[in-house]
Amino acid sequence: MDSTRRPILFVSYPESGLLNPLLVLAAELSRRGVADLHFATDDNRRAEVAALQVDTPVEFVPLGPVVPEMSAVTWDDETYAEVTQRSRFKAHRAVIRHTFSPEARIEKYRALEAAVEEIRPALMVVESMCSYGYELAITKGIPFVLGVPFMPSNVLTSHVPFAKSYTGPDFPVPHSGLPHPMSLAQRIANRVFKFRTLGMFLTRELRERAARDQRIRDELGIAEEAGGFMSRVEHAEMVLCYSVPELDYPFPAPPHLRLVGTMVPPLPQAPDDGGLSAWLDERDSVVYMGFGTITRLTAEQVRALLEVVRRLGERGTHVLWKLPAEQQHLLPPVAELPANLRVEAWLPSQLDVLAHPHVRLFFTHAGGNGFHEGLHFGTPLVVRPLWVDCDDQAVRGRDLGVSLTLDRPETIDVDDVLDKLTRVLDDPSFRDRAELSGKLLREAGGRERAAELLLALPALTATGAGR
Protein backbone atom coordinates (compact mmCIF):
# COMPACT_ATOMS: atom_id res chain seq x y z
CA MET A 1 0.00 0.00 0.00
CA ASP A 2 1.20 3.51 -0.77
CA SER A 3 2.37 4.88 2.61
CA THR A 4 0.69 8.23 1.82
CA ARG A 5 -2.75 6.59 1.46
CA ARG A 6 -4.72 5.31 4.44
CA PRO A 7 -8.27 4.74 3.19
CA ILE A 8 -11.03 4.15 5.72
CA LEU A 9 -13.93 1.90 4.72
CA PHE A 10 -17.19 1.97 6.70
CA VAL A 11 -19.45 -1.09 6.38
CA SER A 12 -23.01 -1.44 7.66
CA TYR A 13 -26.37 -3.07 7.14
CA PRO A 14 -28.88 -0.53 5.76
CA GLU A 15 -31.25 -0.46 8.79
CA SER A 16 -31.40 3.04 10.26
CA GLY A 17 -30.72 1.92 13.82
CA LEU A 18 -27.48 0.25 12.72
CA LEU A 19 -26.40 2.64 9.97
CA ASN A 20 -27.01 6.08 11.46
CA PRO A 21 -24.18 6.23 14.04
CA LEU A 22 -21.63 5.31 11.38
CA LEU A 23 -23.04 8.00 9.09
CA VAL A 24 -22.46 10.54 11.86
CA LEU A 25 -18.89 9.33 12.37
CA ALA A 26 -18.06 9.35 8.65
CA ALA A 27 -19.41 12.91 8.36
CA GLU A 28 -17.26 13.97 11.32
CA LEU A 29 -14.14 12.64 9.61
CA SER A 30 -15.12 14.54 6.45
CA ARG A 31 -15.58 17.64 8.60
CA ARG A 32 -12.00 17.18 9.84
CA GLY A 33 -10.67 16.98 6.29
CA VAL A 34 -9.79 13.28 6.43
CA ALA A 35 -9.20 11.99 2.91
CA ASP A 36 -10.02 8.64 1.31
CA LEU A 37 -13.33 7.91 3.05
CA HIS A 38 -15.58 5.16 1.69
CA PHE A 39 -18.95 3.84 2.88
CA ALA A 40 -20.26 0.40 1.88
CA THR A 41 -23.91 -0.50 2.36
CA ASP A 42 -26.98 -1.48 0.35
CA ASP A 43 -27.99 0.47 -2.74
CA ASN A 44 -31.03 2.08 -1.10
CA ARG A 45 -28.77 4.19 1.14
CA ARG A 46 -26.87 5.92 -1.65
CA ALA A 47 -28.50 9.31 -1.00
CA GLU A 48 -27.68 9.29 2.72
CA VAL A 49 -24.03 8.54 2.01
CA ALA A 50 -23.88 11.17 -0.72
CA ALA A 51 -25.11 13.74 1.82
CA LEU A 52 -22.23 13.04 4.22
CA GLN A 53 -19.63 15.24 2.57
CA VAL A 54 -18.76 18.28 4.65
CA ASP A 55 -15.21 18.94 3.52
CA THR A 56 -13.70 15.82 1.99
CA PRO A 57 -15.85 13.41 -0.06
CA VAL A 58 -17.27 10.12 1.24
CA GLU A 59 -17.45 7.67 -1.66
CA PHE A 60 -20.47 5.36 -1.78
CA VAL A 61 -19.68 1.66 -2.21
CA PRO A 62 -22.81 -0.19 -3.39
CA LEU A 63 -23.34 -3.71 -2.05
CA GLY A 64 -26.45 -4.48 -4.06
CA PRO A 65 -30.16 -4.46 -3.25
CA VAL A 66 -31.60 -5.13 0.19
CA VAL A 67 -31.74 -8.84 1.04
CA PRO A 68 -35.15 -9.58 2.65
CA GLU A 69 -33.75 -12.03 5.22
CA MET A 70 -31.41 -9.32 6.48
CA SER A 71 -33.93 -6.48 6.68
CA ALA A 72 -36.74 -6.42 9.21
CA VAL A 73 -38.65 -3.73 7.31
CA THR A 74 -39.23 -6.20 4.45
CA TRP A 75 -40.58 -9.10 6.53
CA ASP A 76 -44.17 -10.20 6.01
CA ASP A 77 -46.75 -9.73 8.75
CA GLU A 78 -46.46 -13.32 9.97
CA THR A 79 -42.70 -13.01 10.45
CA TYR A 80 -43.14 -9.62 12.09
CA ALA A 81 -45.62 -11.11 14.56
CA GLU A 82 -43.21 -13.92 15.41
CA VAL A 83 -40.19 -11.69 16.07
CA THR A 84 -42.16 -9.15 18.12
CA GLN A 85 -44.20 -11.54 20.29
CA ARG A 86 -44.05 -10.93 24.02
CA SER A 87 -42.39 -14.24 24.89
CA ARG A 88 -38.81 -13.02 24.96
CA PHE A 89 -37.27 -16.37 24.19
CA LYS A 90 -39.70 -17.18 21.38
CA ALA A 91 -39.07 -13.74 19.84
CA HIS A 92 -35.31 -14.26 20.23
CA ARG A 93 -35.63 -17.69 18.58
CA ALA A 94 -37.71 -16.28 15.73
CA VAL A 95 -35.14 -13.57 15.00
CA ILE A 96 -32.37 -16.17 14.79
CA ARG A 97 -34.44 -18.48 12.59
CA HIS A 98 -35.31 -15.69 10.18
CA THR A 99 -31.87 -14.04 10.00
CA PHE A 100 -29.57 -17.08 10.00
CA SER A 101 -29.63 -17.47 6.24
CA PRO A 102 -26.21 -18.64 5.00
CA GLU A 103 -26.92 -17.95 1.33
CA ALA A 104 -28.06 -14.38 2.00
CA ARG A 105 -24.58 -13.06 2.61
CA ILE A 106 -22.82 -14.55 -0.42
CA GLU A 107 -23.33 -11.64 -2.83
CA LYS A 108 -22.71 -9.06 -0.09
CA TYR A 109 -19.43 -10.70 0.87
CA ARG A 110 -18.28 -10.89 -2.74
CA ALA A 111 -19.26 -7.29 -3.48
CA LEU A 112 -17.42 -6.09 -0.38
CA GLU A 113 -14.41 -8.26 -1.21
CA ALA A 114 -14.19 -6.67 -4.67
CA ALA A 115 -14.42 -3.20 -3.12
CA VAL A 116 -11.68 -4.02 -0.63
CA GLU A 117 -9.39 -5.23 -3.41
CA GLU A 118 -9.87 -1.89 -5.18
CA ILE A 119 -9.83 0.46 -2.17
CA ARG A 120 -7.20 -1.42 -0.12
CA PRO A 121 -8.38 0.12 3.16
CA ALA A 122 -5.94 0.76 5.98
CA LEU A 123 -8.87 0.47 8.39
CA MET A 124 -12.43 -0.79 8.27
CA VAL A 125 -15.18 0.44 10.60
CA VAL A 126 -17.82 -2.29 10.75
CA GLU A 127 -21.24 -2.18 12.39
CA SER A 128 -21.44 -5.00 14.95
CA MET A 129 -24.31 -6.92 13.29
CA CYS A 130 -22.69 -6.88 9.84
CA SER A 131 -21.10 -10.34 9.83
CA TYR A 132 -19.79 -10.23 6.27
CA GLY A 133 -17.96 -6.99 7.15
CA TYR A 134 -15.96 -8.26 10.09
CA GLU A 135 -15.53 -11.74 8.58
CA LEU A 136 -13.87 -10.17 5.54
CA ALA A 137 -11.69 -7.90 7.68
CA ILE A 138 -10.48 -10.85 9.76
CA THR A 139 -9.92 -13.03 6.70
CA LYS A 140 -7.92 -10.36 4.86
CA GLY A 141 -6.02 -9.25 7.97
CA ILE A 142 -7.37 -5.69 7.73
CA PRO A 143 -7.47 -3.78 11.04
CA PHE A 144 -11.06 -2.97 11.94
CA VAL A 145 -13.13 -1.13 14.51
CA LEU A 146 -16.40 -2.68 15.67
CA GLY A 147 -19.20 -0.11 16.00
CA VAL A 148 -21.85 -0.97 18.61
CA PRO A 149 -25.21 0.87 18.69
CA PHE A 150 -26.42 -1.13 21.73
CA MET A 151 -25.49 -1.46 25.36
CA PRO A 152 -21.87 -2.70 25.55
CA SER A 153 -22.89 -5.94 27.25
CA ASN A 154 -24.94 -6.81 24.14
CA VAL A 155 -21.81 -7.85 22.23
CA LEU A 156 -19.79 -8.98 25.26
CA THR A 157 -22.26 -11.50 26.70
CA SER A 158 -22.59 -14.98 25.23
CA HIS A 159 -26.06 -16.17 24.23
CA VAL A 160 -25.21 -19.77 25.09
CA PRO A 161 -23.66 -21.58 28.08
CA PHE A 162 -20.01 -22.72 28.14
CA ALA A 163 -18.91 -20.16 25.53
CA LYS A 164 -16.53 -17.29 26.19
CA SER A 165 -18.22 -14.25 27.70
CA TYR A 166 -16.84 -11.01 29.11
CA THR A 167 -19.65 -10.94 31.68
CA GLY A 168 -20.34 -13.45 34.44
CA PRO A 169 -22.71 -16.45 34.35
CA ASP A 170 -25.41 -14.51 36.19
CA PHE A 171 -25.28 -11.47 33.93
CA PRO A 172 -28.51 -11.02 31.93
CA VAL A 173 -28.26 -12.70 28.54
CA PRO A 174 -29.05 -10.30 25.68
CA HIS A 175 -32.73 -10.20 24.63
CA SER A 176 -33.91 -11.67 27.94
CA GLY A 177 -35.02 -8.36 29.45
CA LEU A 178 -33.82 -9.58 32.85
CA PRO A 179 -32.43 -7.23 35.52
CA HIS A 180 -29.20 -7.31 37.49
CA PRO A 181 -28.80 -8.39 40.20
CA MET A 182 -31.38 -11.18 39.90
CA SER A 183 -33.53 -13.21 42.21
CA LEU A 184 -32.95 -16.97 42.32
CA ALA A 185 -35.89 -17.53 39.96
CA GLN A 186 -34.48 -14.95 37.54
CA ARG A 187 -31.02 -16.54 37.62
CA ILE A 188 -32.59 -19.86 36.76
CA ALA A 189 -34.60 -18.25 33.95
CA ASN A 190 -31.43 -16.62 32.64
CA ARG A 191 -29.55 -19.91 32.46
CA VAL A 192 -32.53 -21.69 30.91
CA PHE A 193 -32.62 -18.95 28.26
CA LYS A 194 -29.01 -19.77 27.34
CA PHE A 195 -29.57 -23.53 27.27
CA ARG A 196 -32.69 -23.11 25.12
CA THR A 197 -30.67 -20.99 22.69
CA LEU A 198 -28.03 -23.72 22.54
CA GLY A 199 -30.77 -26.29 22.03
CA MET A 200 -32.02 -24.41 18.96
CA PHE A 201 -28.76 -25.16 17.17
CA LEU A 202 -29.09 -28.86 17.94
CA THR A 203 -32.33 -29.13 16.00
CA ARG A 204 -32.23 -30.68 12.55
CA GLU A 205 -33.27 -27.43 10.84
CA LEU A 206 -30.45 -25.31 12.27
CA ARG A 207 -27.87 -28.10 12.09
CA GLU A 208 -28.55 -28.30 8.36
CA ARG A 209 -28.25 -24.53 8.04
CA ALA A 210 -24.99 -24.59 9.99
CA ALA A 211 -23.64 -27.23 7.61
CA ARG A 212 -24.63 -25.08 4.60
CA ASP A 213 -23.07 -22.09 6.31
CA GLN A 214 -19.75 -23.92 6.69
CA ARG A 215 -19.77 -24.97 3.04
CA ILE A 216 -20.40 -21.36 2.00
CA ARG A 217 -17.67 -20.07 4.32
CA ASP A 218 -15.25 -22.53 2.74
CA GLU A 219 -16.28 -21.51 -0.79
CA LEU A 220 -15.84 -17.82 0.06
CA GLY A 221 -12.50 -18.49 1.73
CA ILE A 222 -13.55 -17.07 5.09
CA ALA A 223 -10.85 -17.71 7.69
CA GLU A 224 -11.63 -20.20 10.43
CA GLU A 225 -10.77 -17.65 13.11
CA ALA A 226 -13.56 -15.38 11.80
CA GLY A 227 -16.17 -17.82 13.11
CA GLY A 228 -17.76 -17.64 16.54
CA PHE A 229 -19.77 -14.98 18.34
CA MET A 230 -16.77 -13.34 20.04
CA SER A 231 -14.48 -13.26 16.99
CA ARG A 232 -15.73 -9.79 16.09
CA VAL A 233 -14.70 -8.55 19.55
CA GLU A 234 -11.44 -10.45 19.92
CA HIS A 235 -10.05 -9.44 16.52
CA ALA A 236 -11.15 -5.79 16.61
CA GLU A 237 -8.56 -3.06 17.10
CA MET A 238 -11.21 -1.24 19.10
CA VAL A 239 -14.82 -1.84 20.13
CA LEU A 240 -16.50 1.55 19.80
CA CYS A 241 -19.79 1.69 21.73
CA TYR A 242 -22.22 4.61 21.66
CA SER A 243 -23.13 4.44 25.34
CA VAL A 244 -21.60 5.01 28.78
CA PRO A 245 -20.87 2.50 31.57
CA GLU A 246 -23.48 4.00 33.88
CA LEU A 247 -26.37 3.00 31.60
CA ASP A 248 -25.46 -0.70 31.60
CA TYR A 249 -25.12 -3.11 34.49
CA PRO A 250 -21.52 -3.28 35.79
CA PHE A 251 -19.02 -5.80 34.46
CA PRO A 252 -15.24 -5.85 33.86
CA ALA A 253 -14.76 -4.39 30.40
CA PRO A 254 -12.05 -5.51 27.94
CA PRO A 255 -9.26 -2.95 27.52
CA HIS A 256 -10.10 -2.13 23.90
CA LEU A 257 -13.72 -1.18 24.65
CA ARG A 258 -14.30 2.55 24.26
CA LEU A 259 -17.61 4.13 25.28
CA VAL A 260 -18.14 7.50 23.65
CA GLY A 261 -21.79 8.32 24.30
CA THR A 262 -24.49 9.11 21.75
CA MET A 263 -23.50 9.80 18.16
CA VAL A 264 -25.16 13.15 17.50
CA PRO A 265 -24.30 15.42 14.53
CA PRO A 266 -24.10 19.21 14.89
CA LEU A 267 -27.55 20.63 15.60
CA PRO A 268 -29.86 21.87 14.31
CA GLN A 269 -29.65 19.03 11.84
CA ALA A 270 -32.56 20.37 9.76
CA PRO A 271 -33.10 24.13 10.24
CA ASP A 272 -35.77 24.14 7.52
CA ASP A 273 -38.26 21.79 9.17
CA GLY A 274 -41.52 22.96 7.69
CA GLY A 275 -42.59 24.90 10.78
CA LEU A 276 -42.17 22.03 13.24
CA SER A 277 -39.82 24.01 15.51
CA ALA A 278 -42.28 26.90 15.58
CA TRP A 279 -45.07 24.49 16.54
CA LEU A 280 -42.98 23.16 19.41
CA ASP A 281 -42.05 26.70 20.48
CA GLU A 282 -45.73 27.53 20.93
CA ARG A 283 -46.52 24.55 23.20
CA ASP A 284 -45.13 24.25 26.70
CA SER A 285 -45.54 20.51 27.17
CA VAL A 286 -45.14 18.02 24.32
CA VAL A 287 -44.93 14.24 24.31
CA TYR A 288 -43.00 12.95 21.32
CA MET A 289 -44.34 9.57 20.23
CA GLY A 290 -42.17 7.58 17.81
CA PHE A 291 -41.70 3.82 17.67
CA GLY A 292 -38.95 3.51 15.07
CA THR A 293 -38.97 2.34 11.48
CA ILE A 294 -39.91 -1.29 12.14
CA THR A 295 -43.01 -1.03 14.35
CA ARG A 296 -46.32 -1.88 12.67
CA LEU A 297 -49.40 -0.76 14.56
CA THR A 298 -52.86 -2.26 14.16
CA ALA A 299 -56.08 -0.30 13.74
CA GLU A 300 -57.04 -1.14 17.33
CA GLN A 301 -53.70 0.08 18.65
CA VAL A 302 -53.99 3.32 16.70
CA ARG A 303 -57.47 3.91 18.16
CA ALA A 304 -56.12 3.29 21.65
CA LEU A 305 -53.28 5.76 21.14
CA LEU A 306 -55.69 8.39 19.83
CA GLU A 307 -57.73 8.02 23.01
CA VAL A 308 -54.54 8.49 25.03
CA VAL A 309 -53.84 11.68 23.08
CA ARG A 310 -57.36 12.99 23.73
CA ARG A 311 -57.03 12.43 27.47
CA LEU A 312 -53.60 14.08 27.52
CA GLY A 313 -55.22 17.08 25.89
CA GLU A 314 -57.45 17.48 28.94
CA ARG A 315 -54.33 18.29 30.97
CA GLY A 316 -52.89 20.65 28.35
CA THR A 317 -50.32 18.24 26.96
CA HIS A 318 -49.72 18.11 23.21
CA VAL A 319 -48.45 15.12 21.24
CA LEU A 320 -46.18 14.94 18.22
CA TRP A 321 -46.62 11.53 16.60
CA LYS A 322 -44.24 10.18 13.98
CA LEU A 323 -46.42 7.67 12.15
CA PRO A 324 -45.15 6.22 8.84
CA ALA A 325 -47.17 7.12 5.77
CA GLU A 326 -48.08 3.49 5.10
CA GLN A 327 -49.86 3.32 8.47
CA GLN A 328 -51.69 6.64 8.32
CA HIS A 329 -54.69 5.07 6.60
CA LEU A 330 -55.54 3.78 10.10
CA LEU A 331 -56.22 7.34 11.25
CA PRO A 332 -59.66 8.96 11.05
CA PRO A 333 -60.18 12.04 8.85
CA VAL A 334 -58.08 15.03 9.87
CA ALA A 335 -61.13 16.88 11.20
CA GLU A 336 -61.70 14.07 13.70
CA LEU A 337 -58.17 14.02 15.10
CA PRO A 338 -57.61 15.44 18.61
CA ALA A 339 -56.77 19.14 18.55
CA ASN A 340 -53.64 18.56 20.64
CA LEU A 341 -52.11 16.15 18.10
CA ARG A 342 -49.67 16.73 15.24
CA VAL A 343 -48.95 13.72 13.01
CA GLU A 344 -45.88 13.54 10.77
CA ALA A 345 -44.97 10.70 8.44
CA TRP A 346 -41.33 11.73 8.54
CA LEU A 347 -39.27 14.13 10.63
CA PRO A 348 -36.41 16.09 9.10
CA SER A 349 -34.54 15.36 12.35
CA GLN A 350 -35.66 13.34 15.34
CA LEU A 351 -32.63 14.73 17.16
CA ASP A 352 -33.82 18.33 16.68
CA VAL A 353 -37.17 17.32 18.19
CA LEU A 354 -35.63 15.59 21.21
CA ALA A 355 -33.33 18.56 21.77
CA HIS A 356 -36.28 20.98 21.99
CA PRO A 357 -36.85 22.11 25.61
CA HIS A 358 -40.64 21.76 25.32
CA VAL A 359 -40.44 18.02 24.58
CA ARG A 360 -41.03 16.67 28.08
CA LEU A 361 -41.20 12.94 27.35
CA PHE A 362 -40.23 10.45 24.65
CA PHE A 363 -42.73 7.59 24.15
CA THR A 364 -40.55 5.06 22.35
CA HIS A 365 -39.85 1.41 21.52
CA ALA A 366 -36.39 1.87 23.16
CA GLY A 367 -34.19 0.68 20.34
CA GLY A 368 -30.50 1.28 20.98
CA ASN A 369 -30.33 4.63 19.16
CA GLY A 370 -33.66 6.03 20.36
CA PHE A 371 -32.97 5.09 23.98
CA HIS A 372 -29.61 6.86 24.00
CA GLU A 373 -30.81 9.82 21.92
CA GLY A 374 -33.66 10.57 24.31
CA LEU A 375 -31.40 10.42 27.34
CA HIS A 376 -28.67 12.43 25.59
CA PHE A 377 -31.02 15.43 25.74
CA GLY A 378 -32.19 14.69 29.28
CA THR A 379 -35.62 13.51 28.14
CA PRO A 380 -37.27 10.77 30.26
CA LEU A 381 -38.97 7.88 28.51
CA VAL A 382 -42.01 5.67 28.50
CA VAL A 383 -41.22 2.43 26.73
CA ARG A 384 -43.30 0.13 24.58
CA PRO A 385 -40.57 -2.46 23.87
CA LEU A 386 -40.73 -3.94 20.40
CA TRP A 387 -38.24 -6.82 20.24
CA VAL A 388 -34.77 -8.21 21.07
CA ASP A 389 -32.61 -5.44 22.60
CA CYS A 390 -35.59 -3.15 23.36
CA ASP A 391 -36.50 -5.19 26.45
CA ASP A 392 -32.90 -4.94 27.65
CA GLN A 393 -32.87 -1.15 27.33
CA ALA A 394 -36.31 -0.96 28.96
CA VAL A 395 -35.26 -2.81 32.12
CA ARG A 396 -32.08 -0.75 32.48
CA GLY A 397 -34.03 2.48 32.03
CA ARG A 398 -36.50 1.39 34.70
CA ASP A 399 -33.70 0.50 37.12
CA LEU A 400 -31.99 3.83 36.47
CA GLY A 401 -35.23 5.69 37.16
CA VAL A 402 -35.28 7.37 33.74
CA SER A 403 -38.23 5.47 32.27
CA LEU A 404 -41.29 3.32 32.83
CA THR A 405 -42.37 0.37 30.68
CA LEU A 406 -45.92 -0.47 29.66
CA ASP A 407 -47.42 -3.45 31.47
CA ARG A 408 -49.24 -4.62 28.34
CA PRO A 409 -47.29 -3.32 25.33
CA GLU A 410 -48.87 -5.76 22.89
CA THR A 411 -52.40 -4.40 23.41
CA ILE A 412 -51.72 -0.75 24.25
CA ASP A 413 -54.17 -0.54 27.14
CA VAL A 414 -55.30 3.10 27.40
CA ASP A 415 -55.28 3.24 31.20
CA ASP A 416 -51.86 1.59 31.35
CA VAL A 417 -50.37 4.05 28.85
CA LEU A 418 -51.90 7.08 30.55
CA ASP A 419 -50.68 5.88 33.94
CA LYS A 420 -47.08 5.60 32.73
CA LEU A 421 -47.11 8.85 30.77
CA THR A 422 -48.60 10.95 33.56
CA ARG A 423 -46.34 9.45 36.22
CA VAL A 424 -43.24 10.33 34.22
CA LEU A 425 -44.58 13.78 33.32
CA ASP A 426 -45.56 14.64 36.88
CA ASP A 427 -42.66 13.17 38.86
CA PRO A 428 -39.59 15.44 38.46
CA SER A 429 -37.25 12.64 39.54
CA PHE A 430 -37.54 11.04 36.10
CA ARG A 431 -36.31 14.19 34.38
CA ASP A 432 -33.63 14.77 37.01
CA ARG A 433 -32.18 11.31 36.44
CA ALA A 434 -32.54 11.59 32.66
CA GLU A 435 -30.64 14.89 32.77
CA LEU A 436 -27.88 13.24 34.78
CA SER A 437 -27.66 10.46 32.18
CA GLY A 438 -27.59 13.09 29.45
CA LYS A 439 -24.70 14.84 31.14
CA LEU A 440 -22.72 11.60 31.24
CA LEU A 441 -23.49 10.83 27.59
CA ARG A 442 -22.46 14.29 26.44
CA GLU A 443 -19.28 14.30 28.52
CA ALA A 444 -18.24 11.00 26.90
CA GLY A 445 -17.49 13.01 23.76
CA GLY A 446 -19.75 11.52 21.11
CA ARG A 447 -18.73 11.83 17.47
CA GLU A 448 -15.73 14.06 18.26
CA ARG A 449 -14.23 11.61 20.75
CA ALA A 450 -14.97 8.70 18.41
CA ALA A 451 -13.14 10.45 15.57
CA GLU A 452 -10.13 11.17 17.80
CA LEU A 453 -9.91 7.54 18.92
CA LEU A 454 -10.22 6.31 15.36
CA LEU A 455 -7.54 8.61 13.96
CA ALA A 456 -5.13 7.67 16.76
CA LEU A 457 -5.14 3.97 15.82
CA PRO A 458 -1.84 2.58 14.50
CA ALA A 459 -3.44 1.65 11.19
CA LEU A 460 -3.95 5.35 10.45
CA THR A 461 -0.69 6.73 11.84
CA ALA A 462 2.76 6.68 10.29
CA THR A 463 3.76 3.72 12.48
CA GLY A 464 0.82 1.72 11.17
CA ALA A 465 1.41 2.32 7.47
CA GLY A 466 1.75 -0.70 5.26
CA ARG A 467 -0.06 -3.13 7.56
Side-chain angles (χ1 to χ4, degrees), residues 440-460:
L440 294 170
L441 286 164
R442 294 189 297 274
E443 288 177 347
R447 71 179 192 281
E448 295 177 328
R449 179 59 177 155
E452 291 165 1
L453 289 168
L454 206 68
L455 295 173
L457 288 172
L460 299 179

Side-chain angles (χ1 to χ4, degrees), residues 28 31 33 49 64 83 87 93 117 146 158 221 230 262 354 376 392-393 436:
E28 177 62 21
R31 187 174 294 107
V49 174
V83 301
S87 167
R93 179 178 62 191
E117 290 299 318
L146 192 72
S158 174
M230 287 298 168
T262 322
L354 291 170
H376 179 90
D392 299 332
Q393 270 95 234
L436 175 59

Side-chain angles (χ1 to χ4, degrees), residues 8 10 21-22 24-26 28-29 32 34 123 125 145-148 238-243 258-264 441-457 460:
I8 301 173
F10 293 84
L22 289 190
V24 172
L25 180 53
E28 177 62 21
L29 295 182
R32 292 171 180 240
V34 177
L123 181 74
V125 185
V145 169
L146 192 72
V148 180
M238 177 170 67
V239 178
L240 188 66
C241 182
Y242 322 127
S243 187
R258 298 288 184 270
L259 293 105
V260 297
T262 322
M263 298 296 281
V264 175
L441 286 164
R442 294 189 297 274
E443 288 177 347
R447 71 179 192 281
E448 295 177 328
R449 179 59 177 155
E452 291 165 1
L453 289 168
L454 206 68
L455 295 173
L457 288 172
L460 299 179

Side-chain angles (χ1 to χ4, degrees), residues 410-444:
E410 67 281 4
T411 59
I412 307 188
D413 178 86
V414 172
D415 291 334
D416 177 31
V417 176
L418 278 171
D419 172 63
K420 301 302 188 300
L421 293 175
T422 55
R423 282 167 61 188
V424 172
L425 286 168
D426 293 343
D427 185 345
S429 69
F430 286 99
R431 177 161 289 275
D432 291 344
R433 291 171 185 144
E435 288 177 347
L436 175 59
S437 295
K439 182 173 183 290
L440 294 170
L441 286 164
R442 294 189 297 274
E443 288 177 347

Side-chain angles (χ1 to χ4, degrees), residues 102-171:
E103 293 80 9
R105 78 165 176 284
I106 295 174
E107 295 307 316
K108 301 295 180 187
Y109 189 93
R110 286 175 173 161
L112 184 61
E113 185 176 37
V116 162
E117 290 299 318
E118 179 180 348
I119 297 166
R120 299 182 62 80
L123 181 74
M124 293 173 66
V125 185
V126 183
E127 193 285 312
S128 61
M129 298 296 291
C130 190
S131 58
Y132 54 80
Y134 59 75
E135 286 171 346
L136 182 63
I138 295 169
T139 299
K140 301 291 186 181
I142 302 170
F144 72 97
V145 169
L146 192 72
V148 180
F150 313 107
M151 295 289 181
S153 61
N154 182 282
V155 298
L156 298 172
T157 304
S158 174
H159 288 264
V160 298
F162 316 125
K164 179 172 181 178
S165 187
Y166 289 88
T167 56
D170 289 326
F171 195 91

Side-chain angles (χ1 to χ4, degrees), residues 202-274:
L202 301 178
T203 63
R204 179 178 179 179
E205 176 191 6
L206 289 189
R207 281 191 290 110
E208 289 177 350
R209 285 199 212 179
R212 296 203 313 270
D213 183 65
Q214 188 57 57
R215 288 196 298 271
I216 289 168
R217 297 172 70 85
D218 292 341
E219 291 169 6
L220 293 172
I222 297 174
E224 184 178 349
E225 58 267 27
F229 182 76
M230 287 298 168
S231 64
R232 56 183 176 169
V233 172
E234 293 170 343
H235 289 275
E237 299 286 302
M238 177 170 67
V239 178
L240 188 66
C241 182
Y242 322 127
S243 187
V244 290
E246 292 84 356
L247 295 188
D248 205 347
Y249 297 129
F251 63 90
H256 63 319
L257 174 66
R258 298 288 184 270
L259 293 105
V260 297
T262 322
M263 298 296 281
V264 175
L267 299 183
Q269 191 176 22
D272 184 10
D273 61 4

